[in-house]
Amino acid sequence: MDLFAEKLEEFSGGRIVGKKYIAGTIGSEEEMAEAVAMGDLGATFAADSMIGNCANGVLGFLAMPGLVTSYDEVEEYIFNDDGWLSQIISQIMEERIGVKRLAAGDNDFRVLGVNKEIKTAEDAKGVKVRCGNAWSNLEFYERSGFMPVVIAGSETMSALEQGTVDGAENGLINLRDGGYATALKYILPVNYMYSPASIIVNLDWFDSLSAEDQAIVTEAAKIAARYEIDENIKASDDLMAEMTGNGTWIELEMTDSLVAAFDAATESMWKDAPEKYGADIVETLLANMPQD
């Protein structure tokens, strides 16, 4: 966001200036996104799921397993403005939330950190996993054989140390930033669920700009978002290399047994998804998703 503000001022010749607020000082991601929608905050960078919570979780379907399965698909469908998923996200943000999605950013594929070695679906039984408090996260792990539990992020470290839970699922960077990466021994690169993020501004404000200024704001955001994508992916790769290299983590293999369990969970969840997210959006997603 520093880069976004810098480019705004540079491209506008000083007419558009950004004032930075340190993360957390004016609220959570969800609260900041809501402030942007209300016009009380100029812009923010937040996870799309948090932005969707401003309108009763309208973007919750983005956490469905198997929606995208690789960074090649993320590049094509989410980071690319012409991507089918990018267009759906942008449309929902405008019509249902009242924000303009200027550019997509990266928030990691979710992995599983555990303190028990897991090689098969049988090994997963009884393993307590701290999950995000969302239907997709909880159901995915429960249907895969684990025991998902909801614990506040601030309490996760003590829960791991005391053995209340055996692991936690999140992105690698979030495992580190949450402060409990060193309390985990094994990392399983599940990578069935991806978390996109976006730079957003208030839609009414954006529409009030001249075409020239709209182009300036959009270009500044795209430069900043591309920087964030590249840096975040590199940071995630570097973190895995560092933690496995120094012996803190051991990377587990996605064996055929585990893949079969996760695939079965994914298939059953998509059958239930219309009731959760609506038949129309699920039908659109399934029609566009790559088929094995």
Side-chain angles (χ1 to χ4, degrees), residues 78-178:
I78 297 178
F79 295 162
N80 174 17
D81 285 348
D82 294 327
W84 67 270
L85 196 48
S86 175
Q87 293 180 356
I88 290 174
I89 296 169
S90 296
Q91 181 178 356
I92 290 176
M93 285 189 181
E94 290 191 19
E95 295 179 355
R96 301 287 298 279
I97 305 173
V99 298
K100 175 70 176 179
R101 177 175 175 264
L102 297 176
D106 179 53
N107 198 34
D108 287 351
F109 275 96
R110 299 180 81 90
V111 302
L112 176 62
V114 286
N115 286 320
K116 295 184 178 181
E117 189 172 14
I118 298 173
K119 294 182 178 180
T120 67
E122 187 67 24
D123 294 336
K125 293 182 179 178
V127 175
K128 295 181 181 179
V129 178
R130 185 268 180 184
C131 291
N133 188 18
W135 180 83
S136 54
N137 302 67
L138 295 169
E139 288 295 319
F140 178 67
Y141 281 98
E142 182 174 350
R143 298 185 192 201
S144 300
F146 295 83
M147 292 180 62
V149 295
V150 178
I151 298 176
S154 59
E155 300 173 7
T156 300
M157 183 65 171
S158 60
L160 287 166
E161 291 177 334
Q162 296 168 13
T164 306
V165 295
D166 304 302
E169 63 90 34
N170 215 314
L172 285 177
I173 300 298
N174 286 337
L175 291 180
R176 180 198 67 191
D177 292 350

Side-chain angles (χ1 to χ4, degrees), residues 9-26:
E9 188 167 0
E10 175 188 338
F11 294 162
S12 68
R15 290 185 298 105
I16 305 175
V17 179
K19 177 183 178 182
K20 181 174 72 174
Y21 294 89
I22 302 299
T25 57
I26 56 174

Side-chain angles (χ1 to χ4, degrees), residues 31-67:
E31 289 169 329
M32 288 190 290
E34 185 173 9
V36 172
M38 296 175 64
D40 296 330
L41 183 66
T44 194
F45 175 73
D48 288 353
S49 59
M50 296 295 101
I51 298 171
N53 285 347
C54 296
N56 298 316
V58 291
L59 292 169
F61 61 84
L62 291 174
M64 280 292 290
L67 188 59

Side-chain angles (χ1 to χ4, degrees), residues 172 184-187 236-252:
L172 285 177
L184 300 166
K185 184 175 181 180
Y186 301 100
I187 298 294
S236 184
D237 290 343
D238 288 348
L239 178 61
M240 177 62 90
E242 176 189 352
M243 298 294 271
T244 55
N246 64 25
T248 302
W249 290 344
I250 297 173
E251 184 175 358
L252 296 174

Side-chain angles (χ1 to χ4, degrees), residues 217-235:
V217 172
T218 300
E219 181 63 17
K222 291 191 179 307
I223 291 172
R226 186 70 248 181
Y227 170 82
E228 186 277 336
I229 289 168
D230 294 340
E231 288 295 305
N232 200 64
I233 292 174
K234 182 179 183 300

